Amino acid sequence: MRLSRSLIIGAVLSAAVLAMALLSFAWTPYSHTAMNIPDKLQTPSAAHWLGTDHFGRDILSMVMVGARTSIAVALVAVGIGIALGVPLGLAAAARRGTWLDEVIMRGNDLIFAFPSLVIAILITAIFGPGAVNAIIAIGIFNIPVFARVTRGGALSLWEREFVMAARVAGKSTPRISFEHILPNVTNLLIVQGTIQFSLGILAEAALSYVGLGAQPPTPSWGRMLADAQTMVALAPHIALVPGLAIVLTVLGLNLMGDGLRDLLDPRIRVQR
Amino acid sequence: MSLLEITDLSLDIGTYPILKGITLSVAEGEIVAVTGESGSGKSMTALAVMGLLPGGAATRGHVRLEGREILETSEAQMCRIRGRDVGMVFQEPMTALNPVKTIGDQVAETILVHEKCAKAEARARAREVLDRVGLPAERFPLTRYPHELSGGQRQRVVIAMAIALRPKLLIADEPTTALDVTTQAQILDLLKELVADYGMGMLIITHDLAVVSGLAHRIVVMRHGEVVEEGETRALFADMKHPYTRMLFEASDHCVDLPPRPDGTAPLLQVEGVSRDYPLPRTKLFEPRRHFRAVRDVSFTLDRGDRVGLVGESGCGKSTLTRAILGLEPVQEGRILLGGEPVLDGGRPNLAVRRRIQVVFQDPYGSFNPRHRVDRLVTEPYHLLPDPPKGAAREAAIDEALEAVGLQAADKRRYIHEFSGGQRQRIAIARALIIRPEIIVFDEAVSALDVSVRAQILDLMARLAAEYDLGYLFISHDLSVVRRITDRVLVMQAGEIVEEGETEQVFLAPRHAYTRSLIDAAPRLPKVGAA
Amino acid sequence: MLRYALKRLTSLVISLAFASLVIFFVTEVAPGDPARFMLGMNAQEDTVAALRSELGLDGSKAERYLDWVSGMAVGDFGTSYTYRTSVGGMIADRLWISLPLALYALALSTAIAFPAGIYAAARRGRPGDMGVMGATQLGIAVPNFWFAMMLVLIFAINLRWFSAGGFPGWDKGLWTGIKALTLPAIALALPQAAILARVMRSSLLDTLGEDFMRTARAKGLTRRQALWRHGLRNALIPVLTIIGLQFSFLLAGAIIIEQVFYLPGLGRLVFQSITQRDLIVVESVVMLLVFSVILVNFLVDLAYAAVDPRLRQRA
């Protein structure tokens, strides 16, 4: 197996972000909440590697802790999508053409018809801003993605003769779904999961940018950008750093997703 | 000087040699057939003449068309030659046409690419060509789209595109392999007529010696990128020099030593007045759903140890009937009994009945879960047993099943991708055999195999029939195979069984017109030495 | 064709009905009473009740849902709790910014993505392809609102080519309006263009592998002719789907981007209404957005049929 360049770069970037998030539990250069007004808006220096924000907080520390929020929100949202979407997709494929399939797929289409961010805004607005509601809002839109990907992969597998052979061997539909279908769609799910993870990071950033994501004192990249907006002319670095953190994380995940696809099965089509 | 002269042509893709110094020629008005099993390099030879080799292909030697070296002709020049001097017909008519353009536009395009002429004139000429290939204007206006045509009709459109400018050379790569036998005969006749009419040379690539025998003036036999034998058709069939040619010939008309049919046995599989409907998509919003009757009032009985063939062309309902017999789908009318009990018991599979019947499918590549090892694959039917063997007994059963089909016990530890197509089909038979069924359904089980492998699998089936007192239902579109491997045959057309009888009798004296047309259309090999 | 259109239309109506139900009941469960919110915590119970009845909040849920839906069907979106003016009017004012912005971005994204995707597909595996693909990877990874901030920093603050935000109004002239929407539209369009270009490329590459492309070449078409005459139209089918989906992203994205550029569009209206618990406005705006998305997807379905003759007959 030859590892592609994009897989290596992607995996290294993603691992770096993850390591940074994990490290932040044990150590950050400064406390991410410690304000130090005299030192505000400093450009990067030996004392503050990535400079300070308008309250004099250390930006590197905030970015490190912010990675935790982003990863947690996106990861749980992907978990919701897989936990609910995959069984739905398997069921729809197993009962293809029946009312069950129809209901699941129409439901999917309906969720797709909602502009996701708008509904996320609606949900967080009504139930209150916060990380948990952000997770739910992002997670809901992962469900149809995984359901659709699973169903698509499963449908073609149901036509394969090895599944016919399992039916001839008298195995039940749920049993075939788990024994033969699910293992053969995992490649699809891994690749799609990586992509949804990166989309989750972007969505979380957008939500916290408009103030509907994680609330203070929990730091998040999106809110750092919202705070930076008014000061971008004075101190560009406070907008540049969290933005680059998002870009590098998402880039890493996407490259890893593409690399995994090439490695596992180049025919996989990713939904974006 | 011949029209096409290939001299000492070698072709590598990367470091992998595909063609190793082949030499052949086609004269004007001559039909030359290149034949061989998969991997012989016959299709690559055709693509080399068209200058359409895949990227990374390196060639040596000469391909001369009317004395002009194709291998050294620039791409721009080749574009002028393709379609005008050389036309090409492909194997898959279902995908060879652009689905979003009308057939008229696609045929006219050949003319417009090469000649300065008005669109209207090109369309008029396209019309003439379509008429010529048997697609008359009243039924096939230029505005038809490919999806509105059958496979045979589409292949006629492809041929029309290829001959629109009366090329000097026509290349046909397995032009009838994807078609039914009656359609195949019509397309072959059409090609033959066109060659005679236009005085074209034709290079036809096919794996089917029988197709070749009635068509080609000369035959070139290829194996592993080399020409093993070449000659005028009659002479070659009369005197095959190379052992590979003889083996191909023997395997194509392989005589199976079928054990005598056990007599005085009880009925095992009873199909009684079975009909199977599929819902059609609604064409109006609120109309009641209409149904397509894929199988219509089919009845037959298969006794214990019976070897019955079921033949018919694609879409005749034989696959639907197979699924119903296996108890995978319910039937709307009639009943299917196995040993007196229904295969489907109130919509639920009846396991006690199921274990008496097993199946082997067509596709040796799709029949196995790629993630499981052979031992797990082979023992899947154990699910049907109330008390499947475990431990040493299970291992012994696996070993026995694998050895019975000519594999080794050690193969059970390997994964399916490590096996060739023929070996996979053996594993599929081992899987069917392991619970000792009384009947096996072979659903086009040898159709995807090369003739030499096919002959071996047929021998294996005959041997197992004797050793295991096995009966089978052999479903196939290939009449010559059915004839050799069955005692009795059912002929199916449009969902109905139109003829039933002892195999030899049906083949020698078919009663139904459809059976006759099938038998007449099937290409036949000449008797050796009698050509 | 007509039958196909009718069938899609039916599914459009059903989707709308479901969407309105979901939106209505999600907003219904929102904690907090709009009337009490408007009058303050110390208001008398009967004053609140009077206001509730004036706002039409005292009917049963079913009644109020039907009122809302039937009102919308004739263009009456109700009356804003906060401003006591017609919601329809408020939306119409804002729509004149958000809709042109989304369309502008869609046009930009398509105009960039098509050539980029076709170019990359035609040069598959060569440096040109790798360059385009690398750029799209980056494009997908950039959050549009951050990209917007960077654009402001460079083109408004440093170069002073554009203003940093706000909208002068269409009455100041078409060109002024377009200029004010240009940075926001670019910020919205580039990430979407990156996705679209990738889809265009892979769809084209799929098509290039089809049998009929080889047939076209066997007729004597050059690689380029085959690509334009046979490849593109077939490749367009999946691309159309993505364009339909993108419209939804652009609308949502517009809401965020309006925050960056202080544009008084639908997005700002939504956020304002949320803080003021003006739920009828929120409901109506969201419904309008969903409606436009469903409508666009309906149009995409019709476009499919125009591209693919097989669909025209089936249905």
Side-chain angles (χ1 to χ4, degrees), chain B residues 6 20 67 155 204 208 211 258 271 287 294-295 299 306 315 324 327 413-414 473 477 479-480 488 498 516 522:
Chain B
I6 299 178
K20 303 164 194 163
Q155 195 63 308
I204 182 167
D208 190 340
V211 162
L258 204 59
V271 177
E287 67 172 5
V295 172
S299 301
D306 244 359
R413 306 253 172 266
R414 294 162 68 192
L473 181 63
H477 69 281
L479 291 123
S480 63
R488 220 147 47 82
V498 296
R516 262 197 303 280

Side-chain angles (χ1 to χ4, degrees), chain B residues 182-492:
Chain B
T182 44
T183 319
Q184 158 165 296
Q186 292 160 7
I187 295 289
L188 290 176
D189 283 345
L190 173 66
L191 288 172
K192 219 159 149 182
E193 276 172 36
L194 288 170
V195 167
D197 267 20
Y198 291 6
M200 290 185 293
M202 179 159 91
L203 185 67
I204 182 167
I205 316 282
T206 176
H207 68 285
D208 190 340
L209 269 183
V211 162
V212 162
S213 65
L215 179 72
H217 301 118
R218 276 193 306 122
I219 294 180
V220 177
V221 182
M222 283 182 70
R223 182 181 61 167
H224 303 323
E226 284 171 299
V227 173
V228 297
E229 188 161 0
E230 198 216 315
E232 194 267 326
T233 303
R234 284 157 167 244
L236 185 121
F237 278 124
D239 178 23
M240 287 176 277
K241 293 197 178 63
H242 198 279
Y244 180 72
T245 315
R246 277 202 292 278
M247 188 282 288
L248 263 190
F249 188 87
E250 198 283 326
S252 302
D253 204 13
H254 181 67
C255 284
V256 179
D257 193 9
L258 204 59
R261 183 174 161 194
D263 37 26
T265 56
L268 180 60
L269 174 68
Q270 291 160 278
V271 177
E272 297 174 356
V274 164
S275 293
R276 172 85 177 100
D277 295 337
Y278 284 111
L280 287 171
R282 289 187 176 91
T283 48
K284 293 202 187 81
L285 272 182
F286 296 106
E287 67 172 5
R289 189 149 262 212
R290 288 182 312 169
H291 290 85
F292 169 67
R293 181 148 278 198
V295 172
R296 195 184 295 270
D297 192 22
V298 164
S299 301
F300 65 89
T301 307
L302 202 145
D303 291 346
R304 184 179 278 277
D306 244 359
R307 286 132 342 181
V308 175
L310 176 62
V311 294
E313 297 185 294
S314 54
C316 72
K318 56 187 195 296
S319 312
T320 308
L321 183 59
T322 311
R323 284 196 295 274
I325 290 172
L326 292 169
L328 298 179
E329 285 176 7
V331 297
Q332 275 64 45
E333 277 169 34
R335 53 184 195 157
I336 301 172
L337 304 177
L338 194 63
E341 288 183 74
V343 288
L344 263 186
D345 198 2
R348 298 204 154 273
N350 188 339
L351 295 195
V353 172
R354 281 276 185 95
R355 69 181 71 117
R356 305 173 72 171
I357 185 167
Q358 281 296 304
V359 63
V360 176
F361 292 109
Q362 170 177 7
D363 179 9
Y365 295 90
S367 293
F368 302 97
N369 188 336
R371 292 172 178 269
H372 295 169
R373 269 192 339 204
V374 167
D375 51 358
R376 184 164 174 195
L377 294 171
V378 166
T379 51
E380 184 151 45
Y382 273 170
H383 185 71
L384 290 166
L385 300 183
D387 181 27
K390 293 193 177 62
R394 179 175 177 273
E395 296 300 310
I398 296 170
D399 297 354
E400 193 200 325
L402 288 175
E403 280 160 9
V405 298
L407 295 169
Q408 282 155 13
D411 287 333
K412 66 186 170 187
R413 306 253 172 266
R414 294 162 68 192
Y415 285 91
I416 199 69
H417 65 258
E418 301 172 51
F419 295 90
S420 70
Q423 286 173 319
R424 288 178 201 210
Q425 221 52 340
R426 286 173 190 271
I427 295 171
I429 295 174
R431 171 170 66 187
L433 219 48
I434 199 160
I435 55 166
R436 298 297 179 87
E438 291 154 70
I439 172 172
I440 294 184
V441 175
F442 289 98
D443 186 1
E444 299 276 6
V446 297
S447 304
L449 304 174
D450 274 330
V451 283
S452 54
V453 182
R454 187 176 77 189
Q456 293 163 14
I457 298 289
L458 292 177
D459 282 341
L460 172 66
M461 285 168 54
R463 205 188 80 218
L464 294 175
E467 285 175 16
Y468 288 76
D469 279 337
L470 201 61
Y472 52 73
L473 181 63
F474 188 90
I475 295 152
S476 179
H477 69 281
D478 188 336
L479 291 123
S480 63
V481 175
V482 171
R483 185 172 188 175
R484 280 173 261 136
I485 196 81
T486 63
D487 310 310
R488 220 147 47 82
V489 67
L490 309 164
V491 181
M492 199 165 177

Side-chain angles (χ1 to χ4, degrees), chain A residues 1-174:
Chain A
M1 277 201 286
R2 211 179 66 83
L3 299 180
S4 65
R5 201 166 31 179
S6 65
L7 181 60
I8 293 168
I9 298 174
V12 167
L13 271 176
S14 309
V17 174
L18 187 67
M20 190 170 81
L22 291 176
L23 177 65
S24 75
F25 284 106
W27 175 84
T28 51
Y30 296 83
S31 159
H32 65 273
T33 49
M35 299 193 197
N36 184 3
I37 305 292
D39 279 350
K40 70 174 181 179
L41 296 179
Q42 283 191 5
T43 48
S45 64
H48 296 279
W49 289 358
L50 296 177
T52 59
D53 74 352
H54 53 298
F55 291 123
R57 291 175 295 191
D58 181 55
I59 290 181
L60 176 61
S61 307
M62 291 174 74
V63 166
M64 284 174 73
V65 182
R68 273 172 9 201
T69 318
S70 289
I71 291 174
V73 170
L75 204 59
V76 180
V78 169
I80 292 175
I82 289 180
L84 295 174
V86 172
L88 283 175
L90 286 177
R95 300 264 177 263
R96 65 206 162 284
T98 63
W99 63 269
L100 182 73
D101 183 21
E102 191 71 9
V103 166
I104 292 174
M105 293 326 286
R106 289 298 135 248
N108 263 337
D109 289 351
L110 195 65
I111 300 185
F112 265 126
F114 285 82
S116 50
L117 210 58
V118 175
I119 301 304
I121 288 168
L122 187 69
I123 290 174
T124 46
I126 286 171
F127 299 101
V132 174
N133 287 337
I135 288 173
I136 294 171
I138 299 168
I140 285 177
F141 288 96
N142 279 336
I143 298 172
V145 173
F146 283 104
R148 197 173 272 205
V149 165
T150 308
R151 179 176 178 272
L155 272 187
S156 65
L157 288 168
W158 273 103
E159 296 301 315
R160 295 273 292 275
E161 288 177 346
F162 73 82
V163 173
M164 287 279 252
R167 292 175 65 201
V168 172
K171 292 189 171 165
S172 66
T173 305

